[in-house]
Amino acid sequence: MLSYTKTPDSNVAEIVVDGKISDEEMNAAINAMKADLDKGERIKLLEDIRSFNGMEPAAFFKDPRFGIAMMKGVSHVALVTDAPWLKMMAETFAFVSPYKIKVFERERLAEARSWLSAAA
């Protein structure tokens, strides 16, 4: 499952991953986020990775292309996960990322939301 939601009248959006990502879910998330990015404001993004069990092949090939395209429109990313390999990837990518990335454990979800809300 993959979902994307954006708080109305805010530049904070959330992506939730829980299980396997379907092509249909990837398309819906990309279209919703692209619509928000097309409005011209920079988004602060919370990525809540509850579990990740892979993705359908068609979704897999869309993910990197969209990720690169959206970089200019995101200012901060709070990654919420307990998966050690995701934490390591995010912390490594933070050194070359055009946006600020901070990793939070699942039990610190509220702190991640607060960090994004306060980020300038």
Side-chain angles (χ1 to χ4, degrees), residues 67-108:
I68 291 168
M70 68 136 202
M71 283 182 162
K72 295 178 191 171
V74 174
S75 64
H76 295 77
V77 173
L79 175 65
V80 179
T81 184
D82 286 335
W85 68 275
L86 284 172
K87 291 178 189 179
M88 184 177 68
M89 284 181 59
E91 289 165 354
T92 300
F93 185 68
F95 290 109
V96 296
S97 170
Y99 40 80
K100 295 177 183 164
I101 300 173
K102 190 167 181 179
V103 179
F104 298 85
E105 293 180 355
R106 294 255 340 112
E107 66 188 24
R108 296 174 53 208

